Short mmCIF file of all heavy atoms in Angstrom, two decimals:
data_model
loop_
_atom_site.label_atom_id
_atom_site.label_comp_id
_atom_site.label_asym_id
_atom_site.label_seq_id
_atom_site.Cartn_x
_atom_site.Cartn_y
_atom_site.Cartn_z
N SER B 1 28.68 37.95 -15.49
CA SER B 1 30.13 38.25 -15.53
C SER B 1 30.56 38.67 -16.91
O SER B 1 30.19 38.06 -17.91
CB SER B 1 30.93 37.03 -15.10
OG SER B 1 30.67 36.68 -13.75
N ARG B 2 31.40 39.71 -16.98
CA ARG B 2 32.00 40.14 -18.24
C ARG B 2 33.39 39.51 -18.31
O ARG B 2 34.41 40.17 -18.14
CB ARG B 2 32.04 41.67 -18.31
CG ARG B 2 30.67 42.32 -18.21
CD ARG B 2 30.74 43.82 -18.39
NE ARG B 2 31.18 44.18 -19.73
CZ ARG B 2 31.34 45.45 -20.13
NH1 ARG B 2 31.08 46.45 -19.29
NH2 ARG B 2 31.74 45.72 -21.37
N TYR B 3 33.39 38.23 -18.54
CA TYR B 3 34.63 37.44 -18.51
C TYR B 3 35.52 37.76 -19.71
O TYR B 3 35.08 38.27 -20.74
CB TYR B 3 34.28 35.95 -18.51
CG TYR B 3 33.41 35.53 -19.67
CD1 TYR B 3 33.97 35.11 -20.87
CD2 TYR B 3 32.01 35.61 -19.59
CE1 TYR B 3 33.19 34.75 -21.95
CE2 TYR B 3 31.21 35.25 -20.68
CZ TYR B 3 31.80 34.82 -21.85
OH TYR B 3 31.03 34.49 -22.92
N THR B 4 36.79 37.44 -19.56
CA THR B 4 37.77 37.63 -20.63
C THR B 4 37.72 36.45 -21.60
O THR B 4 37.77 35.30 -21.17
CB THR B 4 39.19 37.77 -20.06
OG1 THR B 4 39.26 38.94 -19.24
CG2 THR B 4 40.22 37.87 -21.16
N PHE B 5 37.64 36.75 -22.88
CA PHE B 5 37.79 35.73 -23.90
C PHE B 5 38.53 36.36 -25.07
O PHE B 5 38.02 37.24 -25.75
CB PHE B 5 36.43 35.20 -24.36
CG PHE B 5 36.54 34.13 -25.43
CD1 PHE B 5 37.46 33.11 -25.33
CD2 PHE B 5 35.70 34.14 -26.53
CE1 PHE B 5 37.57 32.13 -26.30
CE2 PHE B 5 35.78 33.16 -27.52
CZ PHE B 5 36.72 32.15 -27.40
N ASN B 6 39.75 35.92 -25.30
CA ASN B 6 40.61 36.50 -26.33
C ASN B 6 40.32 35.83 -27.68
O ASN B 6 41.18 35.20 -28.28
CB ASN B 6 42.06 36.36 -25.92
CG ASN B 6 42.36 37.09 -24.63
OD1 ASN B 6 41.94 38.23 -24.44
ND2 ASN B 6 43.05 36.45 -23.71
N TYR B 7 39.11 36.05 -28.14
CA TYR B 7 38.62 35.38 -29.34
C TYR B 7 39.48 35.70 -30.58
O TYR B 7 39.88 34.80 -31.32
CB TYR B 7 37.16 35.80 -29.60
CG TYR B 7 36.64 35.41 -30.95
CD1 TYR B 7 36.17 34.13 -31.19
CD2 TYR B 7 36.60 36.34 -32.00
CE1 TYR B 7 35.67 33.78 -32.44
CE2 TYR B 7 36.12 35.99 -33.25
CZ TYR B 7 35.66 34.71 -33.47
OH TYR B 7 35.20 34.36 -34.70
N GLU B 8 39.74 36.97 -30.80
CA GLU B 8 40.47 37.37 -32.00
C GLU B 8 41.89 36.80 -32.00
O GLU B 8 42.39 36.36 -33.05
CB GLU B 8 40.51 38.90 -32.11
CG GLU B 8 39.15 39.54 -32.30
CD GLU B 8 38.58 39.28 -33.69
OE1 GLU B 8 39.31 38.76 -34.55
OE2 GLU B 8 37.39 39.59 -33.91
N ALA B 9 42.55 36.81 -30.86
CA ALA B 9 43.91 36.27 -30.78
C ALA B 9 43.92 34.77 -31.05
O ALA B 9 44.78 34.27 -31.78
CB ALA B 9 44.51 36.57 -29.41
N LEU B 10 42.97 34.05 -30.46
CA LEU B 10 42.89 32.61 -30.70
C LEU B 10 42.63 32.31 -32.18
O LEU B 10 43.24 31.40 -32.75
CB LEU B 10 41.78 32.01 -29.84
CG LEU B 10 42.02 31.98 -28.32
CD1 LEU B 10 40.74 31.55 -27.63
CD2 LEU B 10 43.15 31.05 -27.97
N LYS B 11 41.74 33.09 -32.76
CA LYS B 11 41.42 32.87 -34.18
C LYS B 11 42.63 33.16 -35.06
O LYS B 11 42.93 32.39 -35.99
CB LYS B 11 40.24 33.75 -34.57
CG LYS B 11 39.77 33.55 -36.00
CD LYS B 11 38.55 34.44 -36.30
CE LYS B 11 38.10 34.26 -37.76
NZ LYS B 11 36.93 35.13 -38.06
N ALA B 12 43.32 34.25 -34.78
CA ALA B 12 44.49 34.60 -35.58
C ALA B 12 45.59 33.54 -35.49
O ALA B 12 46.27 33.23 -36.46
CB ALA B 12 45.04 35.97 -35.15
N GLY B 13 45.77 33.00 -34.28
CA GLY B 13 46.78 31.96 -34.09
C GLY B 13 46.37 30.61 -34.63
O GLY B 13 47.18 29.67 -34.69
N ASN B 14 45.10 30.50 -35.02
CA ASN B 14 44.57 29.24 -35.57
C ASN B 14 44.29 29.39 -37.06
O ASN B 14 43.32 28.86 -37.58
CB ASN B 14 43.28 28.84 -34.82
CG ASN B 14 42.88 27.40 -35.05
OD1 ASN B 14 43.72 26.51 -35.10
ND2 ASN B 14 41.60 27.15 -35.19
N GLU B 15 45.16 30.16 -37.75
CA GLU B 15 45.06 30.38 -39.19
C GLU B 15 43.72 31.01 -39.58
O GLU B 15 43.09 30.64 -40.57
CB GLU B 15 45.31 29.08 -39.96
CG GLU B 15 46.71 28.51 -39.72
CD GLU B 15 47.01 27.30 -40.59
OE1 GLU B 15 46.10 26.80 -41.27
OE2 GLU B 15 48.19 26.88 -40.59
N ASP B 16 43.28 31.97 -38.75
CA ASP B 16 42.05 32.72 -39.00
C ASP B 16 40.80 31.86 -39.03
O ASP B 16 39.80 32.19 -39.68
CB ASP B 16 42.15 33.54 -40.29
CG ASP B 16 43.21 34.65 -40.20
OD1 ASP B 16 43.29 35.25 -39.11
OD2 ASP B 16 43.92 34.90 -41.17
N VAL B 17 40.85 30.78 -38.29
CA VAL B 17 39.68 29.89 -38.12
C VAL B 17 39.32 29.90 -36.64
O VAL B 17 40.20 29.84 -35.78
CB VAL B 17 39.97 28.46 -38.59
CG1 VAL B 17 38.77 27.56 -38.35
CG2 VAL B 17 40.36 28.45 -40.07
N GLN B 18 38.02 29.96 -36.33
CA GLN B 18 37.61 29.96 -34.92
C GLN B 18 38.19 28.76 -34.18
O GLN B 18 38.21 27.64 -34.70
CB GLN B 18 36.07 29.89 -34.84
CG GLN B 18 35.36 31.16 -35.21
CD GLN B 18 33.86 31.06 -34.96
OE1 GLN B 18 33.33 29.97 -34.75
NE2 GLN B 18 33.19 32.19 -34.98
N MET B 19 38.67 29.01 -32.96
CA MET B 19 39.17 27.92 -32.12
C MET B 19 38.00 27.05 -31.68
O MET B 19 36.99 27.54 -31.18
CB MET B 19 39.89 28.49 -30.90
CG MET B 19 40.47 27.43 -29.99
SD MET B 19 41.81 26.49 -30.75
CE MET B 19 43.12 27.75 -30.79
N ARG B 20 38.15 25.75 -31.91
CA ARG B 20 37.09 24.81 -31.57
C ARG B 20 37.20 24.34 -30.12
O ARG B 20 38.18 24.59 -29.45
CB ARG B 20 37.17 23.60 -32.50
CG ARG B 20 36.82 23.91 -33.95
CD ARG B 20 37.37 22.84 -34.89
NE ARG B 20 37.06 21.49 -34.44
CZ ARG B 20 36.24 20.65 -35.09
NH1 ARG B 20 35.64 21.04 -36.20
NH2 ARG B 20 36.03 19.44 -34.62
N SER B 21 36.17 23.63 -29.69
CA SER B 21 36.13 23.14 -28.32
C SER B 21 36.70 21.74 -28.18
O SER B 21 36.52 21.10 -27.14
CB SER B 21 34.69 23.15 -27.80
OG SER B 21 33.87 22.29 -28.57
N ASP B 22 37.40 21.25 -29.20
CA ASP B 22 38.15 20.00 -29.06
C ASP B 22 39.62 20.30 -29.33
O ASP B 22 39.97 20.78 -30.39
CB ASP B 22 37.62 18.90 -30.01
CG ASP B 22 37.50 19.37 -31.45
OD1 ASP B 22 37.41 20.59 -31.69
OD2 ASP B 22 37.51 18.52 -32.36
N TRP B 23 40.43 20.05 -28.32
CA TRP B 23 41.84 20.39 -28.37
C TRP B 23 42.67 19.10 -28.41
O TRP B 23 42.56 18.26 -27.51
CB TRP B 23 42.25 21.19 -27.14
CG TRP B 23 41.52 22.49 -26.96
CD1 TRP B 23 40.65 23.07 -27.82
CD2 TRP B 23 41.62 23.36 -25.82
NE1 TRP B 23 40.18 24.25 -27.30
CE2 TRP B 23 40.76 24.46 -26.09
CE3 TRP B 23 42.34 23.33 -24.64
CZ2 TRP B 23 40.60 25.51 -25.18
CZ3 TRP B 23 42.18 24.36 -23.73
CH2 TRP B 23 41.33 25.45 -24.00
N THR B 24 43.50 18.96 -29.43
CA THR B 24 44.36 17.79 -29.56
C THR B 24 45.75 18.15 -29.06
O THR B 24 46.49 18.89 -29.72
CB THR B 24 44.41 17.30 -31.02
OG1 THR B 24 43.08 17.02 -31.46
CG2 THR B 24 45.26 16.05 -31.14
N ILE B 25 46.10 17.63 -27.92
CA ILE B 25 47.38 17.95 -27.26
C ILE B 25 47.92 16.66 -26.63
O ILE B 25 47.17 15.93 -25.98
CB ILE B 25 47.19 19.02 -26.17
CG1 ILE B 25 46.69 20.34 -26.79
CG2 ILE B 25 48.49 19.27 -25.40
CD1 ILE B 25 46.33 21.40 -25.78
N PRO B 26 49.20 16.35 -26.81
CA PRO B 26 49.74 15.11 -26.22
C PRO B 26 49.85 15.18 -24.71
O PRO B 26 49.86 16.25 -24.10
CB PRO B 26 51.12 14.99 -26.88
CG PRO B 26 51.48 16.37 -27.30
CD PRO B 26 50.18 17.07 -27.62
N LEU B 27 49.92 14.00 -24.09
CA LEU B 27 50.14 13.90 -22.66
C LEU B 27 51.51 14.50 -22.29
O LEU B 27 52.38 14.68 -23.15
CB LEU B 27 50.12 12.44 -22.22
CG LEU B 27 48.76 11.73 -22.21
CD1 LEU B 27 48.97 10.23 -22.08
CD2 LEU B 27 47.91 12.24 -21.06
N CYS B 28 51.67 14.77 -21.03
CA CYS B 28 52.95 15.27 -20.52
C CYS B 28 53.96 14.14 -20.51
O CYS B 28 53.79 13.15 -19.79
CB CYS B 28 52.77 15.84 -19.11
SG CYS B 28 54.26 16.45 -18.37
N THR B 29 55.01 14.26 -21.31
CA THR B 29 56.04 13.22 -21.39
C THR B 29 57.42 13.87 -21.50
O THR B 29 57.55 15.09 -21.54
CB THR B 29 55.82 12.31 -22.61
OG1 THR B 29 55.81 13.13 -23.80
CG2 THR B 29 54.50 11.56 -22.52
N GLY B 30 58.43 13.03 -21.58
CA GLY B 30 59.79 13.51 -21.83
C GLY B 30 60.34 14.40 -20.74
O GLY B 30 60.08 14.19 -19.55
N GLU B 31 61.08 15.42 -21.13
CA GLU B 31 61.75 16.29 -20.17
C GLU B 31 60.77 17.11 -19.35
O GLU B 31 61.08 17.54 -18.24
CB GLU B 31 62.72 17.22 -20.88
CG GLU B 31 63.90 16.50 -21.54
CD GLU B 31 64.88 17.45 -22.18
OE1 GLU B 31 64.62 18.68 -22.12
OE2 GLU B 31 65.90 17.00 -22.73
N GLU B 32 59.57 17.35 -19.89
CA GLU B 32 58.60 18.13 -19.14
C GLU B 32 58.07 17.38 -17.92
O GLU B 32 57.71 17.97 -16.92
CB GLU B 32 57.41 18.50 -20.05
CG GLU B 32 56.41 19.43 -19.38
CD GLU B 32 55.22 19.75 -20.27
OE1 GLU B 32 55.30 19.50 -21.49
OE2 GLU B 32 54.21 20.24 -19.74
N ARG B 33 58.04 16.06 -17.99
CA ARG B 33 57.54 15.25 -16.88
C ARG B 33 58.54 15.26 -15.73
O ARG B 33 59.70 14.87 -15.89
CB ARG B 33 57.31 13.82 -17.36
CG ARG B 33 57.01 12.81 -16.28
CD ARG B 33 55.62 12.97 -15.66
NE ARG B 33 54.56 12.47 -16.51
CZ ARG B 33 53.30 12.33 -16.10
NH1 ARG B 33 52.96 12.67 -14.86
NH2 ARG B 33 52.37 11.89 -16.93
N LEU B 34 58.11 15.70 -14.55
CA LEU B 34 58.99 15.74 -13.39
C LEU B 34 59.17 14.33 -12.82
O LEU B 34 58.20 13.55 -12.76
CB LEU B 34 58.42 16.65 -12.30
CG LEU B 34 58.83 18.14 -12.37
CD1 LEU B 34 58.36 18.78 -13.68
CD2 LEU B 34 58.30 18.93 -11.18
#
């Protein structure tokens, strides 16, 4: 498969550092939680 991977965009949005495979993101809370 010639899958899509937006490598350059992810790197640019990560201060020109490769996006790593560990993502630190909080749980769904507050107004977002239905």
Side-chain angles (χ1 to χ4, degrees):
S1 296
R2 300 184 65 181
Y3 57 90
T4 296
F5 180 44
N6 299 315
Y7 168 82
E8 296 289 351
L10 291 171
K11 183 178 178 181
N14 196 39
E15 299 186 352
D16 294 322
V17 177
Q18 287 186 347
M19 182 65 72
R20 292 160 48 113
S21 62
D22 51 338
W23 300 353
T24 303
I25 298 173
L27 288 166
C28 179
T29 58
E31 294 183 359
E32 185 182 345
R33 171 71 76 170
L34 271 61

